[in-house]
Amino acid sequence: MTREISPEDYIGMKIVSAGGQYVGEIGSVFTPAGEEQGEGLIAAISPHRQLGEKLTLWRTVPLEGARIHTGGEVTIPYRVEQVHTSPAFSYTPETLDVSISRKILAHYGRDPNEAPDLAENSLISPPRALKHDSLEEEQCIPGFMAWQMSTEEAGWAQAAQLVGLGMQLSGHHALLKEWEDDAKALLLPRLDALGEIRIEDAAGKAIAELGLPFDVDGLNPSTELNPEERATHQQTLWWECQFNNHGAARGAALVLLLLGLSAHHEVVRVTSASELLRLTEKSLALVDLLRRGCMSDSHTVREISVNALARFEEEHEFLSEFQNTEHQSGSEDPSHSSITIHGTWAAFNSWWQPNSELSTHIRASCSPDLWNAPNSFTWAGGYNNDARQRAASRLRTWTANNGIRELKCVYAHSHGANVALESALEGVQIRLLVLLHPAIVRRSVIETDRILRRVGRILAFCTRWDIAILADRAIRLFPSLDTRIEVVYRGWFDHGRYTSRDVWERLKIADKVGAEMQMVDPNFPVP
């Protein structure tokens, strides 16, 4: 370089390629861990939007051999094509691991036409944006970058990866295939099932092979690590999960789960406890953590916690209060033919109540016939197929007692979707079924066909990689290529966003519901 400056001095400088073309401005500069100050510097060029996509990217370029000019420009010894094909970040990382630095340098040491596919082997290329007509499309923090950061968004991304790792350790690879697009976007490592291997043995091997400064017995909900140490260890473990360089990928995933029990973010703690309960014996520490999660402000965290506890019979007394179905009385208006169906654990929220903000909005904007009288339909919200089957039979009886030949529109959340679908199997006719975060139970092709004969159209609103559904080992939709099924994806991870009036108004969901209703066959139900 022509003169000595500190890494911080590069920020804001303009970068020009060897051919004299403007590339961008330097937004961040990294000294890879383990390198001397000023050696092996990597610059991240300020965000720009990739052509044809919504995603904002940070391109990376080495500063070794760069020439600094008096006008605040830096000429790099690379062609502009090499920069445009370089590794990119969707979020600015707080640190840059030396192994990633070497992959970046490897890219610039080769002809751009022969550069390795870094999106596959170094996993630092962000996911492609979804091609949906959404007004908003949040991006997840993918791969190892989630473990570098301490933000709330990073916490949710970490929890998402922990669910994916837990699914594989517990042998649910077939379910993972149904979420494959989301898994690729998350850059989720792939693992074999844990099988008969003891958690202590697998985790202990990973700790020893990776030289981590703790032991399995010392990892519990009260483990204390400073944020820098935690981030370093988590990244080391994630890379082992990804590449299995030490033959300890499964153990590394288990250590990530164990570390998660003491994480700063509640969703990480609860997700780790939920997944570990599937892999080990019940412990008071895990149960206590999940009980606290049942009181969370987050609907998704509550759902994960209570579902995990529901797998244990002795917890049912504690969980009974979440099945309270007392509901507010509506007006004395005549009964109508559109209804809401809550999911499991009805007491978690009140969106389905006759006088709730969302019910009021739905009545005013797309379903004026939404039930608003006493004797509205409810069910116990039990966490099993029998409870949902009883609810479906109750809905059939309820419609008959109220003289309803067909339900015009049914709004069903989570496992409430299964109540609606089971009721269709029993003969209830539904013109439009609106599903909010559906958690679907598998059904045969014959059952699916019978359902679709009694449902005019299905409109499903889903979030990508819904953590609560995945922790429950459910699927989003039953298999079907029927053109009467429309699926809309908005955002990531959350299991409760579509029960919010604010979200309905911002995304104009009522307009979509109204449009779908117009598309129902006027001759429905078709014999």
Side-chain angles (χ1 to χ4, degrees), residues 413-434:
H413 176 255
S414 192
H415 277 294
N418 291 308
V419 174
L421 295 171
E422 286 296 320
S423 72
L425 277 175
E426 295 195 11
V428 175
Q429 306 281 356
I430 303 172
R431 291 189 67 82
L432 176 62
L433 177 56
V434 179

Side-chain angles (χ1 to χ4, degrees), residues 284-466:
L284 292 177
L286 296 180
V287 168
D288 182 62
L289 196 157
L290 290 167
R291 283 193 172 200
R292 293 198 300 271
C294 292
M295 311 302 173
S296 172
D297 292 334
S298 165
H299 179 95
T300 302
V301 170
R302 294 197 303 268
E303 191 86 12
I304 295 171
S305 301
V306 73
N307 286 350
L309 290 173
R311 296 196 290 269
F312 301 95
E313 185 175 351
E314 59 269 33
E315 292 295 325
H316 287 184
E317 183 176 353
F318 169 77
L319 300 176
S320 61
E321 63 181 285
F322 302 117
Q323 292 183 254
N324 177 19
T325 58
E326 293 182 5
H327 58 277
Q328 306 165 3
S329 296
S331 69
E332 294 300 326
D333 295 339
S335 300
H336 297 299
S337 58
S338 291
I339 64 171
T340 57
I341 304 180
H342 59 73
T344 311
W345 320 115
F348 271 174
N349 55 43
S350 61
W351 72 270
W352 50 277
Q353 297 274 12
N355 294 326
S356 71
E357 287 189 358
L358 181 56
S359 291
T360 302
H361 173 70
I362 290 174
R363 260 194 315 276
S365 57
C366 55
S367 289
D369 63 338
L370 186 67
W371 194 280
N372 192 35
N375 187 35
S376 61
F377 173 77
T378 61
W379 66 292
Y383 182 70
N384 53 64
N385 288 332
D386 288 342
R388 294 187 284 268
Q389 182 61 58
R390 289 193 297 271
S393 298
R394 186 168 184 270
L395 179 55
R396 180 189 60 186
T397 302
W398 182 87
T399 54
N401 290 343
N402 285 281
I404 298 175
R405 177 175 174 271
E406 68 176 31
L407 290 166
K408 184 176 180 181
C409 190
V410 173
Y411 301 87
H413 176 255
S414 192
H415 277 294
N418 291 308
V419 174
L421 295 171
E422 286 296 320
S423 72
L425 277 175
E426 295 195 11
V428 175
Q429 306 281 356
I430 303 172
R431 291 189 67 82
L432 176 62
L433 177 56
V434 179
L435 304 181
L436 313 174
H437 304 281
I440 303 298
V441 174
R442 293 183 186 278
R443 291 174 174 82
S444 68
V445 174
I446 294 176
E447 288 178 323
T448 299
D449 183 65
R450 287 173 57 194
I451 288 171
L452 292 175
R453 291 179 184 179
R454 298 185 177 110
V455 178
R457 289 187 70 84
I458 296 176
L459 173 60
F461 291 91
C462 305
T463 46
R464 299 186 68 186
W465 201 258
D466 188 317

Side-chain angles (χ1 to χ4, degrees), residues 150-164:
S150 58
T151 62
E152 185 71 19
E153 292 79 6
W156 282 89
Q158 291 171 20
Q161 292 206 31
L162 291 173
V163 169

Side-chain angles (χ1 to χ4, degrees), residues 87-105:
F89 300 97
S90 58
Y91 288 76
T92 310
E94 296 177 359
T95 60
L96 190 63
D97 186 85
V98 66
S99 62
I100 299 301
S101 170
R102 288 170 181 162
K103 289 183 172 65
I104 294 171
L105 294 171

